[in-house]
Amino acid sequence: YGDHRDLHRLIRRQRQMCIRDSKYVFKSFLKFYNFPHLQGKVVASTQAALRAGREIGFPLVVKPRHGSLSRHTTVNIRDDDELVKAVRIVQMIAKEFIVERYISGGVYRIVVVGNKMAACALRETPYVVGDGVCNIEDLVRIRNANYRSHPIKITPKVISFLKKEGRDISTVPRKGERVYLSDKVVLAGGACIHDATDLIHSDNVDLLERVSAKLKAGLVGFDVITENISLPYHKLPFAIIEANSAPYIDMHHFPDFGKGRNIAASIIDLTEELFLR
């Protein structure tokens, strides 16, 4: 490095990214500043998970300490047997993992650029709506033709999920019946995206902008769980569950429902402000 100040800037940048991208470090950060979060513990064995689960109380979530796009996350765990199964799944990729409290609600992604909210979207698990005529396989084909940004893929996991619900891809749902195909909110699996930028309550916007400022984050995508993003966070169960230093912005540009938001322009404007001033 030509200047030791560049090295210090890089070190600070790496520390800030670690806080955001490590689920447990970020949880500790939220707890320290008394921001809304979910009670949880990092453990490394089934027995430790069982002890943590009994201490925290069911229902629970088990997820890797880092990343994995929800592929190894299990939610709404209601007893010891389900917890043991969830541990087996998460241990496929992680020696250490998080056991935390589960709350019901929608999963929202809020992107903050330069400490200002740029977009908010509700991410729903993939589903189709019955017409009383078509089976699930055909409904998936129709849905993908209409919403091409995040197509649903009929995988062995989808077939297994339907089987647990007493269905298969040849089932014909009733007219207007919504049939979910997974319990995971993953874009690659066909998650449904609803723009909610105009719905989010101003108190929630202020909260997430304050969290961003504490993180010293130029760009961050927060994942939030709440029953209704249009109500203030202090009026109902509300938790910030993750922060992403490189949030996926395609979902905001091309939501399945609602208005697209030009996040890229906000990022470019911030970049010009930081480096061309």
Side-chain angles (χ1 to χ4, degrees):
Y1 295 90
D3 190 325
H4 71 278
R5 289 174 296 183
D6 292 334
L7 178 59
H8 289 307
R9 291 192 194 100
L10 178 62
I11 292 170
R12 286 196 300 271
R13 171 66 175 163
Q14 292 299 320
R15 184 181 298 119
Q16 291 157 8
M17 290 182 69
C18 176
I19 291 173
R20 280 172 270 165
D21 295 327
S22 168
K23 292 180 174 68
Y24 191 70
V25 173
F26 181 61
K27 183 185 294 291
S28 300
F29 162 86
L30 294 172
K31 183 178 179 180
F32 180 81
Y33 286 106
N34 199 31
F35 293 129
H37 62 282
L38 297 173
Q39 180 186 359
K41 287 190 170 185
V42 170
V43 296
S45 70
T46 300
Q47 289 304 313
L50 288 168
R51 288 194 297 271
R54 291 163 188 156
E55 179 182 333
I56 297 168
F58 294 101
L60 297 167
V61 175
V62 169
K63 60 186 179 183
R65 188 169 182 171
H66 299 276
S68 100
L69 299 174
S70 299
R71 284 190 295 266
H72 301 88
T73 297
T74 305
V75 302
N76 200 16
I77 300 165
R78 296 193 169 273
D79 56 40
D80 285 355
D81 289 342
E82 291 184 4
L83 180 53
V84 170
K85 292 177 184 177
V87 169
R88 292 194 190 118
I89 293 171
V90 78
Q91 284 180 327
M92 293 177 183
I93 65 158
K95 292 182 179 179
E96 292 186 324
F97 51 93
I98 297 172
V99 177
E100 71 181 15
R101 185 178 301 281
Y102 168 83
I103 62 171
S104 62
V107 180
Y108 293 85
R109 166 62 61 83
I110 297 94
V111 175
V112 180
V113 181
N115 299 329
K116 297 293 182 184
M117 190 201 74
C120 172
L122 170 65
R123 298 181 297 169
E124 282 194 285
T125 54
Y127 66 86
V128 292
V129 179
D131 61 5
V133 177
C134 297
N135 63 29
I136 291 175
E137 184 175 21
D138 289 335
L139 290 171
V140 167
R141 191 178 299 114
I142 293 167
R143 188 268 185 192
N144 289 345
N146 291 326
Y147 304 103
R148 299 181 180 182
S149 297
H150 314 109
I152 296 172
K153 300 172 184 176
I154 299 178
T155 64
K157 288 185 177 180
V158 168
I159 292 171
S160 176
F161 181 84
L162 287 171
K163 185 177 180 180
K164 291 178 183 177
E165 301 293 316
R167 299 184 176 98
D168 59 38
I169 59 174
S170 66
T171 300
V172 177
R174 299 185 308 274
K175 185 175 181 179
E177 180 184 6
R178 183 178 291 197
V179 178
Y180 289 96
L181 305 174
S182 173
D183 59 356
K184 302 290 176 62
V185 184
V186 181
L187 292 181
C192 296
I193 308 302
H194 303 254
D195 176 67
T197 307
D198 294 331
L199 301 178
I200 184 170
H201 194 278
S202 58
D203 285 2
N204 301 337
V205 174
D206 176 69
L207 168 69
L208 295 167
E209 290 178 350
R210 285 189 287 117
V211 177
S212 173
K214 286 291 185 183
L215 285 172
K216 301 186 185 333
L219 169 66
V220 60
F222 293 108
D223 288 343
V224 165
I225 293 181
T226 182
E227 291 285 357
N228 190 342
I229 200 70
S230 66
L231 296 178
Y233 68 92
H234 45 82
K235 296 293 185 181
L236 73 174
F238 182 106
I240 306 169
I241 55 174
E242 290 182 20
N244 302 274
S245 62
Y248 187 65
I249 64 174
D250 174 88
M251 72 176 91
H252 301 288
H253 281 259
F254 308 107
D256 296 312
F257 305 96
K259 181 180 177 181
R261 307 290 172 169
N262 193 350
I263 305 297
S266 300
I267 295 171
I268 291 170
D269 289 345
L270 177 64
T271 303
E272 291 179 345
E273 178 184 339
L274 292 175
F275 295 99
L276 301 180
R277 60 187 175 187

